[in-house]
């Protein structure tokens, strides 16, 4: 569903230069739930943003489906992202002037795709926010905002979801409910999910775990157990 | 060092009303490291903000040292906070136009207090950011930004530090280094720390753990073990 080929991302230049991604090649198969772990600063968010077409590589290729992102102009890239990619940001990035409901529905609106109403209801119930959906982000707790961001990515059933530490602000009970629901989406809808997590228990919900360090993939575990 | 007496915080009115804090009374002793746990939405951030004088209660009292916060006007409250209170926000709240160094030094500048240079160096080393301090938040990873927020609160040795999920974005190795350093600050400098965490391992670094649910304190563990 998404692939990085010899992906390198360099920030800055000279001796303040940071090689955030160092020749990374990885293939995320359709219908698989992959976890990505690694120390703070190892390049996880950079990899997620590059794969989702939100950030340009210094060198290397990104494929979403069979589209090479470098073949697209800005407008085509935005349209592809809106129709095919869901993203749960590490900092949530909700629109403060919209309610939780409006935030959840926004990607589908922008991508001019429909939301399956029954599925949407299951998503809202799974993230445990049914009674907070008419509130704006400023009126929600940190974990509630994170859950709105999770619901926003899941509701429109995009081809691939990149989740950057989606349970970092949640207690373990709420977090595991969300991870179980992601597993459900992967099994029932063949949803593809790539999730960055610092939590080994969270990673155990995935089919496979990749380990990043200093911008490189250094290890891989299939069928992880916590 | 800080106390809440019959603290109640109500948001909204009518049937959309939320009782974020429900008659909470708690005393945080000087020199103690207390963890606060509870489900997402249970009132932890609201309690932290009320104790730090960042948010007004609907009813009840907050004492910092032997000062009743309701005796202070806006100006006096701001000065007290700047001199005596350190806060690590759940969303970091760094100034995007300042470098990590400038962000760390800002509270002391605003409070017109001095920073112990040796202590500051130990803090920067403990959070593992020595080589990223000249960068602005936008050039730092999520976990690096969180570490700047941690360093900012610790560097000026305030009377009390309120830490709202300070390791949520960190891998377990980096997180435990920071928690160990907080223990060091508590033992060496008699630092008072109140830390919200969702992680039982993180809570085990504290001297005591309080449990919140639906805006009330429902349990307490002394000398926790993970
Ligand atoms: N401005 C507001 N208006 C209405 N309700 C609010 C407002 N701010 C917070 N709340 C509600 O108060 C309750 C407690 O919020 P709080 O942020 O203290 O929770 P928390 O324990 O920190 O949660 P988390 O673990 O998710 O960060 C939540 O149900 C939240 O939706
Ligand atoms: N705009 C930028 N300019 C310079 N360096 C940057 C920039 N953005 C990120 N970096 C650096 O690139 C490296 C990788 O960052 P990235 O955000 O991918 O890490 P991460 O693995 O997601 O970390 P965390 O677990 O803390 O979120 C870090 O050292 C970071 O400081
Ligand atoms: Mg990150
Ligand atoms: Mg909170």
């Amino acid at each position: 569903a998404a692939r990085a080929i010899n992906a390198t991302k360099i920030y800055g230049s000279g001796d303040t230069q940071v090689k955030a991604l160092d020749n990374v090649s990885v293939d995320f198969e359709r219908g698989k739930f992959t976890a990505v772990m690694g120390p703070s600063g190892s390049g996880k968010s950079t990899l997620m943003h590059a794969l989702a077409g939100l950030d340009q590589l210094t060198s290397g290729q990104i494929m979403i489906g069979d589209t090479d992102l470098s073949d697209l102009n800005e407008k085509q890239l935005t349209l592809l992202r809106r129709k095919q990619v869901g993203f749960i940001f590490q900092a949530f990035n909700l629109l403060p002037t919209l309610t939780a409901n409006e935030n959840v529905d926004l990607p589908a609106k922008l991508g001019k795709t429909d939301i399956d109403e029954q599925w949407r209801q299951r998503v809202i119930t799974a993230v445990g926010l049914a009674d907070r959906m008419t509130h704006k982000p400023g009126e929600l707790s940190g974990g509630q905002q994170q859950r709105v961001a999770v619901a926003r990515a899941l509701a429109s059933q995009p081809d691939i979801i990149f989740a950057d530490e989606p349970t970092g602000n949640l207690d373990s009970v709420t977090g595991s409910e969300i991870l179980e629901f992601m597993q459900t989406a992967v099994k029932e809808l063949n949803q593809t999910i790539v999730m960055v997590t610092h939590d080994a228990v969270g990673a155990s919900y995935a089919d496979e775990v990749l380990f990043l360090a200093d911008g490189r993939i250094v290890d891989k575990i299939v069928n992880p157990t916590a």
Side-chain angles (χ1 to χ4, degrees), chain A:
Chain A
R3 242 193 320 154
I5 303 161
N6 298 120
T8 292
K9 176 75 185 181
I10 298 177
Y11 290 111
S13 54
D15 41 287
T16 59
Q17 173 171 301
V18 176
K19 215 172 204 176
L21 290 177
D22 190 357
N23 203 17
V24 174
S25 294
V26 61
D27 189 349
F28 296 100
E29 294 173 38
R30 184 164 295 283
K32 232 177 171 193
F33 189 174
T34 309
V36 177
M37 300 187 79
S40 173
S42 54
K44 305 179 299 296
S45 295
T46 301
L47 178 61
M48 294 292 107
H49 284 246
L51 288 163
L54 290 166
D55 202 10
Q56 274 206 343
L57 294 174
T58 304
S59 66
Q61 256 182 311
I62 299 287
M63 312 282 293
I64 297 232
D66 39 25
T67 305
D68 182 334
L69 296 195
S70 54
D71 290 345
L72 308 179
N73 61 37
E74 194 58 48
K75 208 153 170 266
Q76 295 166 324
L77 179 59
T78 301
L79 197 63
L80 178 142
R81 266 208 315 272
R82 286 178 173 174
K83 285 192 177 296
Q84 294 181 253
V85 179
F87 206 106
I88 303 169
F89 292 89
Q90 195 166 359
F92 320 150
N93 292 5
L94 300 176
L95 294 183
T97 52
L98 302 184
T99 63
N101 268 324
E102 293 166 335
N103 266 288
V104 166
D105 293 334
L106 191 60
K109 257 200 169 63
L110 293 175
K112 301 206 176 51
T113 56
D114 295 315
I115 285 189
D116 180 309
E117 196 42 51
Q118 257 194 346
W119 175 251
R120 186 190 190 280
Q121 199 47 51
R122 284 176 70 184
V123 170
I124 302 297
T125 303
V127 302
L129 281 178
D131 60 340
R132 306 297 292 154
M133 295 305 291
T134 55
H135 289 263
K136 299 205 186 78
E139 299 165 331
L140 299 175
S141 76
Q144 289 168 341
Q145 293 174 37
Q146 187 160 42
R147 288 183 265 158
V148 174
V150 170
R152 176 175 66 177
L154 283 165
S156 57
Q157 296 180 27
D159 290 354
I160 182 163
I161 292 176
F162 296 101
D164 201 345
E165 301 188 35
T167 60
N169 280 277
L170 303 173
D171 57 273
S172 46
V173 171
T174 313
S176 53
E177 285 168 356
I178 284 184
L179 293 164
E180 276 177 36
F181 188 76
M182 285 183 173
Q183 273 186 337
T184 302
V186 169
K187 292 194 173 42
E188 273 188 38
L189 306 178
N190 211 32
Q191 180 73 60
T192 311
I193 297 181
V194 182
M195 173 179 78
V196 168
T197 180
H198 279 307
D199 170 31
V201 172
S204 68
Y205 282 83
D207 302 316
E208 201 171 284
V209 186
L210 298 175
F211 292 84
L212 246 76
D214 301 317
R216 280 174 237 118
I217 294 182
V218 297
D219 207 354
K220 177 166 147 173
I221 297 179
V222 184
N223 291 326
T225 49

